[in-house]
Amino acid sequence: MRPRSPVGAGIGGGVLNITEDMGNYTTSVRPFAPSIARERTLDLRFDWRTAIAGSAAKTGLELRDDTGRLVFAIAATASELRYAVTGPDPDSLNPTWTTTSFDRSMWYTVDLHMDFTLGRVQYAITSKEAAPTVMASGTADIAGTNLARLVECNYYGTGTQSIDNLRLVRPTNAACGSLAGSSVYAFGDSIVDGHQYPRGFVDFVADREDMTLTNYAKNGATVGPAVDASGGHIIDQVRSAGSRAPDVVVFDGGTNDAIEIHDQHAYEIGTVSDATDPSSFAAGTYTGSLEATIQLMRQRWPEARLVYVAAHKLGSRDWDTQLALRKVTLQAARKWGVAVADVFADTTFDTRVEAQRAAYTFDSLVNGYPGSGGSGTHPNIAGITEFYVPVLTARLVQLAD
């Protein structure tokens, strides 16, 4: 027998429409499969739109666990987009909302990473358009302990909601708590630092996996020895870091060096030395500076696991320079036993592609969050969660195991 659709739900125009002809203060519940409720880590993505027309009216949907506690909720009036991760439990019809203005005629994409081992959800709501706008994003503690119910809610008034392209998966490289309690030092440039946003991709991983992070990265930092590097040098970040050894060191480099080398002709790329004595390094070159930086990390924290993050393919840098820098960096990583989280090779993130540049990078903030339509260098929330977080998490889990 086919399961009966919840009240107020039906397929129309190729999408799932909900809260159709439902009364005020009513809900309709669709349970997820029992196997879903047993999963400890889940990723959920769906497109959502509301047709609600009145500012006093409100409809939405809520994700709850098997005892009615909230995991995430999204709703709208005619003028306000609302979302929630907390509220009176269990099964309260009206969570504690955060609101922002929006265009109700548009579709929006909701991305959720739910980790029930850690009791945490990472969320992003972006406009579904050629140059998406991040409406809301963040990481929050939740009361829900699994994903068991989809609840369509007519809080008041009338207004059909539409859902499309729903995808629910268990992440291929979920840590499932195996990284919890680990300490991390992060070094690098604006991609690690976060650019104008105070959180880079390492912050997202640390939050998601309950790791203790100290982030020393700075916008504009270089590996090489450019005198006027606006963010200084990554080796100076290493020198200034605490003496207490972290479990893991995560770093990047080369993004700003590509400009210094190709555009400014400030120094050469150089070659990897055959020895480990610092006096053998190619002084005054990118490669010599990189080896000196890694050697200092090894000297200061000999037991720490070192992970170099190879940034995505950049449409904002000369391509041949990127490839040359990548070649010597990977050679140095092999020589020094540095693990590589290879976003460049292991993902499709390539901002030479115009649609990816617009969707996944930002140059400035919108309502306090990374926007979109950037130059191709700095990943926004979508770029971080789609590409950087899975690759780094997988590498850290592999090292932990």
Side-chain angles (χ1 to χ4, degrees):
M1 178 181 295
R2 295 178 63 186
R4 186 178 63 180
S5 297
V7 174
I11 302 296
V15 301
L16 173 64
N17 297 309
I18 62 174
T19 55
E20 291 183 308
D21 303 320
M22 288 175 56
N24 293 336
Y25 317 117
T26 60
T27 63
S28 182
V29 180
R30 175 72 184 219
F32 288 98
S35 60
I36 296 299
R38 290 193 293 268
E39 292 286 354
R40 306 311 304 148
T41 310
L42 290 165
D43 280 334
L44 175 63
R45 167 179 282 191
F46 58 92
D47 297 334
W48 174 87
R49 184 176 67 180
T50 181
I52 200 156
S55 295
K58 182 173 65 182
T59 56
L61 62 89
E62 300 177 1
L63 298 167
R64 291 187 175 269
D65 72 3
D66 53 2
T67 62
R69 289 171 293 194
L70 187 65
V71 177
F72 186 81
I74 185 170
T77 68
S79 59
E80 287 184 338
L81 176 69
R82 301 188 176 200
Y83 61 95
V85 293
T86 60
D89 291 311
D91 286 329
S92 167
L93 186 59
N94 209 1
T96 304
W97 299 108
T98 300
T99 64
T100 186
S101 59
F102 82 129
D103 180 352
R104 70 179 180 88
S105 68
M106 294 183 60
W107 282 90
Y108 294 87
T109 299
V110 180
D111 279 293
L112 304 175
H113 172 80
M114 296 161 279
D115 192 320
F116 298 109
T117 299
L118 301 178
R120 195 169 291 165
V121 63
Q122 183 176 298
Y123 60 89
I125 305 172
T126 57
S127 60
K128 190 174 177 62
E129 53 186 330
T133 298
V134 178
M135 306 300 295
S137 65
T139 302
D141 295 330
I142 53 174
T145 59
N146 56 35
L147 182 62
R149 307 175 188 174
L150 173 64
V151 185
E152 51 179 304
C153 304
N154 185 17
Y155 303 101
Y156 186 78
T158 58
T160 300
Q161 303 168 77
S162 299
I163 299 173
D164 197 12
N165 299 319
L166 188 144
R167 184 183 70 183
L168 177 62
V169 296
R170 184 184 188 278
T172 304
N173 300 305
C176 297
S178 66
L179 301 175
S182 300
S183 58
V184 187
Y185 286 172
F187 306 102
D189 51 39
S190 57
I191 295 179
V192 175
D193 175 62
H195 189 43
Q196 295 189 18
Y197 194 53
R199 290 160 47 81
F201 66 89
V202 189
D203 295 85
F204 279 75
V205 172
D207 280 354
R208 178 179 126 172
E209 306 304 340
D210 200 24
M211 305 170 80
T212 302
L213 169 66
T214 307
N215 196 334
Y216 295 94
K218 293 183 179 179
N219 280 3
T222 63
V223 171
V227 175
D228 59 348
S230 61
H233 309 295
I234 295 174
I235 194 170
D236 292 330
Q237 299 171 17
V238 177
R239 291 186 180 115
S240 68
S243 59
R244 184 174 181 177
D247 296 306
V248 183
V249 172
V250 176
F251 67 104
D252 78 342
T255 303
N256 296 312
D257 295 281
I259 295 176
E260 297 293 337
I261 291 167
H262 180 266
D263 300 350
Q264 305 300 325
H265 307 289
Y267 45 88
E268 300 294 327
I269 293 178
T271 58
V272 176
S273 169
D274 293 330
T276 57
D277 183 346
S279 64
S280 69
F281 302 158
T285 69
Y286 166 84
T287 307
S289 298
L290 176 63
E291 290 207 76
T293 302
I294 297 173
Q295 189 271 338
L296 180 60
M297 292 175 180
R298 285 281 185 227
Q299 181 183 56
R300 295 203 65 190
W301 311 297
E303 301 301 319
R305 297 183 292 275
L306 306 187
V307 182
Y308 171 77
V309 179
H312 60 281
K313 299 176 181 70
L314 298 165
S316 55
R317 301 293 188 270
D318 176 71
W319 181 242
D320 289 339
T321 305
Q322 287 182 69
L323 294 179
L325 286 168
R326 173 178 170 80
K327 180 179 179 179
V328 296
T329 301
L330 295 183
Q331 288 174 349
R334 286 192 294 271
K335 171 184 172 179
W336 290 93
V338 176
V340 178
D342 203 344
V343 178
F344 186 100
D346 294 343
T347 76
T348 59
F349 195 5
D350 185 346
T351 59
R352 296 174 301 167
V353 178
E354 180 66 14
Q356 292 204 29
R357 179 199 63 76
Y360 294 124
T361 68
F362 82 106
D363 291 335
S364 58
L365 303 181
V366 179
N367 297 323
Y369 294 102
S372 55
S375 64
T377 303
H378 309 106
N380 58 18
I381 302 296
I384 286 172
T385 57
E386 183 81 8
F387 304 110
Y388 277 81
V389 168
V391 170
L392 179 56
T393 302
R395 202 69 177 101
L396 293 176
V397 169
Q398 187 179 51
L399 293 173
D401 290 341

